[in-house]
């Protein structure tokens, strides 16, 4: 019987660890900036790692009951859903959970403060320009650190009024 149920105390302990651990991971990943999880949002990254880790632990540990495993995985999915719904509904949650785009190069000037703050170098900006097929920053209007951690390049001719970047970008 202990293979399926070992009592409420381990289940409640697992629920507490999942909720607290998940929130701590989101906060830690959010505070380290978008480059930490390139191509993933913090919520995507946390759920991928924690679900995988929880499942791996469940499969390999003899002291984890089925009820604990189900409680842990269910808690992660529900917590992910609740945070994603809150993010979609409330601006404050978006500010807490998302990283805004950051201007690294704008209108002919490198944004040195933003580069330092996000642990990037001028070479990273030049690399983004080269990867976009440009050998110079002359025709480039903006290089932005996107929410997924990648660098985006917008050409001067494509900038238009900048309404897709400027209102949302963090400025230093």
């Amino acid at each position: 019987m202990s293979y399926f149920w070992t009592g409420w105390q381990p289940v409640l302990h697992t629920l507490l660890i999942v909720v607290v651990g998940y929130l701590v991971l989101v906060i830690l990943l959010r505070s380290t900036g978008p480059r930490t999880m390139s191509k993933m949002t913090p919520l995507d990254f946390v759920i991928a790692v924690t679900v995988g880790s929880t499942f791996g632990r469940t499969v390999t540990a003899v002291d984890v009951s089925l009820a604990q495993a189900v409680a842990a995985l269910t808690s992660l999915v529900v917590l992910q859903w609740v945070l994603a719904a809150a993010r979609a509904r409330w601006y404050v949650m978006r500010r807490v959970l998302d990283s805004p785009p950051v201007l690294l190069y704008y209108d002919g000037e490198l944004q040195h403060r933003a580069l330092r703050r996000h642990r990037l170098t001028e070479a990273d900006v030049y690399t983004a320009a080269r990867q976009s097929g440009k050998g110079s920053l002359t025709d480039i209007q903006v290089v932005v650190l996107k929410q997924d951690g990648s660098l985006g390049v917008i050409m001067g001719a494509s900038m238009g009024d900048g309404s897709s970047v400027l209102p949302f970008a963090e400025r230093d």
Side-chain angles (χ1 to χ4, degrees):
M1 185 64 174
S2 67
Y3 288 114
F4 299 104
W5 180 254
T6 58
W8 280 109
Q9 185 177 359
V11 173
L12 294 175
H13 178 264
T14 299
L15 287 172
L16 178 65
I17 296 301
V18 164
V19 170
V20 172
Y22 185 88
L23 292 174
V24 167
L25 277 173
V26 168
I27 290 166
L28 287 173
L29 292 171
R30 172 64 179 95
S31 68
T32 60
R35 294 293 288 183
T36 305
M37 300 132 324
S38 188
K39 299 292 185 190
M40 286 184 140
T41 68
L43 292 177
D44 297 333
F45 181 78
V46 169
I47 196 68
V49 170
T50 54
V51 167
S53 177
T54 302
F55 183 69
R57 169 98 169 101
T58 302
V59 170
T60 59
V62 294
D63 60 338
V64 176
S65 70
L66 181 60
Q68 276 182 283
V70 169
L73 293 172
T74 302
S75 297
L76 289 170
V77 172
V78 168
L79 191 55
Q80 168 72 9
W81 182 84
V82 167
L83 288 174
R87 181 190 160 275
R89 186 173 184 155
W90 294 299
Y91 172 78
V92 171
M93 291 304 291
R94 282 192 294 278
R95 292 282 299 166
V96 169
L97 297 173
D98 290 343
S99 299
V102 177
L103 297 177
L104 302 175
Y105 176 84
Y106 179 69
D107 200 23
E109 293 183 29
L110 286 164
Q111 307 298 306
H112 294 285
R113 190 168 162 202
L115 288 168
R116 277 192 309 276
R117 184 165 174 241
H118 295 281
R119 298 168 309 280
L120 297 168
T121 66
E122 290 180 21
D124 295 319
V125 173
Y126 289 113
T127 298
R130 283 192 308 275
Q131 288 175 341
S132 73
K134 300 297 175 191
S136 156
L137 295 179
T138 306
D139 297 328
I140 296 174
Q141 183 71 29
V142 172
V143 176
V144 63
L145 175 61
K146 298 189 290 187
Q147 291 172 302
D148 66 4
S150 63
L151 299 181
V153 174
I154 301 175
M155 308 306 296
S158 302
M159 186 67 171
D161 66 357
S163 61
S164 72
V165 176
L166 300 178
F168 308 102
E170 177 182 294
R171 295 182 189 215
D172 285 325

